[in-house]
Amino acid sequence: MKKLLPAAGVVNAICLIALILFVGVQLPAFGMWFYRWQYDVNNTYEVVDMEPDDLHEVTRHMIRYMQGREPDLQLTTTVGGEQRPFFSEIEIRHMVDVYDLFAVGLIIQNFVIGLFLATLGAFLLWGKERLWMLFKSWKIAAASVFLGLATLVTVIAINWHHAFVVFHEIFFDNDYWILDARVDLLINIVPYPFFITISVFIGGFFAVGLVAMFVGALLAQRRFKK
């Protein structure tokens, strides 16, 4: 078992990095605070001609749907003083794909949590005296991924629009994500600036998490040596 500890250290580090990324995505995607902030910044209430309370209720419903806590997106609200369904047919079809993406992500996340705990348990059970090996794996993995992240951010910054399109082409096998701001309300509550901001938030959170992982491993390793 102890001979497998180096590999377990690498797997544990990769799992920890993946969990940092999952948290970075879910905080804004499922956080009502983020939507409220963006609605204020992007003047969304005026753009869609809705009262804040009505738009907030739509948003909470959408978040619950993405989390799998609502069966569908059939929701009637007040837009421009008139009662109407908020989501059009094409928007619902796109959100089904978004839900599927989050559902797969949740499955992967649960698997990663289990693997992280299992590999950590292996060290605690069989290799307490070799925890330095785990901390070393954390440092190397965090530094390597941070450099990769810096490269990716640079590439994306050069042509954000192209990166945005490529992302959707990778994760969606249809064109339902191509919405018309003149008729589709969804693209008006999460417009282009919304996606730029959420990308910056996720990238920033991920970077800070990697730095914290590296520094934490470095301090733990030094303490371990003492």
Side-chain angles (χ1 to χ4, degrees):
M1 179 67 179
K2 291 185 178 181
K3 293 181 180 180
L4 297 177
L5 285 178
V10 173
V11 171
N12 184 272
I14 294 174
C15 288
L16 181 55
I17 290 172
L19 291 176
I20 294 172
L21 180 58
F22 280 126
V23 173
V25 171
Q26 292 172 359
L27 278 176
F30 297 155
M32 192 63 198
W33 63 272
F34 187 81
Y35 292 89
R36 286 174 179 263
W37 171 39
Q38 286 301 291
Y39 293 163
D40 288 332
V41 171
N42 298 321
N43 199 32
T44 305
Y45 304 111
E46 288 74 17
V47 171
V48 296
D49 195 11
M50 291 181 66
E51 293 296 323
D53 288 345
D54 291 330
L55 183 53
H56 295 167
E57 180 55 36
V58 169
T59 306
R60 282 189 286 267
H61 188 98
M62 182 175 68
I63 291 173
R64 292 194 299 267
Y65 174 78
M66 291 189 294
Q67 293 174 320
R69 298 192 292 125
E70 288 287 352
D72 56 53
L73 283 174
Q74 301 297 335
L75 179 67
T76 299
T77 188
T78 304
V79 180
E82 297 181 359
Q83 287 284 306
R84 54 154 288 183
F86 184 88
F87 296 98
S88 66
E89 184 62 31
I90 190 172
E91 289 170 319
I92 291 175
R93 290 183 179 180
H94 174 56
M95 289 304 298
V96 168
D97 293 336
V98 173
Y99 165 79
D100 290 340
L101 197 60
F102 276 113
V104 171
L106 181 60
I107 294 173
I108 296 174
Q109 175 182 285
N110 290 337
F111 174 78
V112 168
I113 291 174
L115 195 56
F116 174 79
L117 294 176
T119 50
L120 181 61
F123 271 94
L124 296 177
L125 183 62
W126 297 102
K128 290 182 179 179
E129 73 282 2
R130 299 185 185 182
L131 281 174
W132 63 270
M133 191 182 302
L134 176 63
F135 301 140
K136 181 180 179 180
S137 296
W138 284 12
K139 286 197 311 180
I140 294 174
S144 300
V145 175
F146 186 89
L147 292 176
L149 176 64
T151 302
L152 179 62
V153 168
T154 301
V155 172
I156 292 175
I158 291 174
N159 193 335
W160 159 260
H161 178 73
H162 179 69
F164 181 80
V165 172
V166 169
F167 170 85
H168 283 79
E169 289 179 341
I170 291 174
F171 289 101
F172 301 106
D173 60 0
N174 54 59
D175 61 357
Y176 295 145
W177 60 273
I178 302 177
L179 302 175
D180 187 344
R182 295 170 298 181
V183 295
D184 298 314
L185 292 176
L186 179 61
I187 196 61
N188 283 295
I189 67 172
V190 287
Y192 214 57
F194 177 96
F195 286 105
I196 293 176
T197 304
I198 198 172
S199 298
V200 171
F201 179 92
I202 293 171
F205 183 93
F206 192 41
V208 171
L210 291 172
V211 171
M213 179 180 172
F214 180 90
V215 173
L218 180 63
L219 295 176
Q221 199 172 35
R222 287 181 178 177
R223 182 176 180 180
F224 181 87
K225 288 181 180 180
K226 291 181 180 180

